Amino acid sequence: MNRLTLKLAVRTLHTGTVGTKGPTGRDLFNRMNSCIRDNDPSGAWLNYQQLLHMRTTEQPHSLNRSLFAQTPRPRDLPLSARPYIHDAHSRILRVLHINSIHGYSRPHLDQLAQWAAQYVREAAADSHVLAASDVNTLLHVFAVQRNGTAADHVWQYATLTGVVADVTNYNAYINACLRAGNYGRAFEVVREMRERGVQPSTWTQAYLIRLYGETGDLESARREFARACRNSPWTGVAETSSIGTKYWQEKTDDHGVYGLGIGTFNEMLGVLGRNGLMSEMRDLFMRFTGLSVEATDSELQARARHTGLRPNAHTFHELIHWHATYWDMDTAVNIVRLMSKCGVRPVPKTLKLIVTPQTAERDVETCAQIAILLREEYGVQ
């Protein structure tokens, strides 16, 4: 065996790429990063998969193992996929950030969920330890897809690999359980969170309010909202507590942690709407924002001096959705006008909350008039 043959043999054993045409491990890794920067999820995932496939084909040959049992030289490393696998696992999750995606369709979401499931399998096969932010990204994908089983798998994998869960991880998991309808599991996660001494945040409380609303425990939802307000405006709160309440009363004091945030407020609006308490919903909105659903220009000017909450798109969408659901279409349209006056632009989702299959079946002519109104005044289609 001459020197050139020996050199090629060593390189082939360690990289599995020499002597074949195609991109190297470094090429694929750089292409994946380029696609991520260019917001090309499909291209990034394709290069990620090719990098994983290249890694599986780099198994050393059994022949002459003792002769060539040495680490690859630095100049051989760019040809191999192995040095880039760990960083690839960490970076590819950037294409799964749903918050940066606008207007995704159901097929698109299903594709993201398939990628997330494959990622978990590949990461587990490589014993890759997830970061706390990685856990949140995966849980968010499965929460939007309402896939509670996949969210459970992510949580189990994170626990087995030694991820020290913080309050954001627990919040993401509670949200995933809520979205999937696993209310019993959501209560268990909150209890586990408190037993491990993790201090809840305002988002924990917001999710707990929604959990009470979903399980029909209106009084407990009111009690938690009153705690956020520090000075309860509610009367007649039940003294007895249901399954979701007792653990909270027995645990540590959260004084100084909670304050009324817009997320907590929006969840309480949703609970009232879900229970058909539309008058109470409007009163709550006025009390904490200083606005009525039929606010005049003078009220809007006075709002600038109001120290209450600033409603966001979610706030208005909760009001619109439930008023349209209970066929108060005039109020729903007034809220759209108020939404625009407050600087929150109506979007296609706003129209879809009013014109639903149920409302169209009830009065298609009224729905058509509202659709024309939103298109002419706000450009919503």
Side-chain angles (χ1 to χ4, degrees), residues 41-52:
S42 297
W45 197 262
L46 176 62
N47 286 283
Y48 173 68
Q49 288 181 311
Q50 290 178 345
L51 195 65
L52 294 175

Side-chain angles (χ1 to χ4, degrees), residues 29 32-33 36-37 86-95:
F29 182 71
M32 185 193 75
N33 285 330
I36 292 173
R37 288 193 299 269
H86 177 73
D87 285 342
H89 284 321
S90 299
R91 298 189 186 188
I92 192 61
L93 281 179
R94 298 178 188 181
V95 305

Side-chain angles (χ1 to χ4, degrees), residues 281-307:
M281 188 183 193
R282 291 190 296 271
D283 291 344
L284 183 70
F285 176 75
M286 184 173 182
R287 178 178 303 193
F288 287 94
T289 66
L291 295 169
S292 66
V293 295
E294 298 178 352
T296 62
D297 292 339
S298 59
E299 287 180 346
L300 290 172
Q301 293 175 358
R303 173 67 182 82
R305 299 186 296 273
H306 192 272
T307 58

Side-chain angles (χ1 to χ4, degrees), residues 167 171 193-194 197-206 224 227-230 248 252-261 264:
V167 64
N171 287 345
M193 173 183 177
R194 298 311 306 273
V198 178
Q199 189 74 310
S201 67
T202 54
W203 279 109
T204 314
Q205 192 171 41
E224 290 302 325
R227 170 176 285 192
C229 297
R230 293 296 177 191
W248 201 279
T252 58
D253 181 22
D254 296 314
H255 180 71
V257 175
Y258 293 134
L260 181 61
T264 310

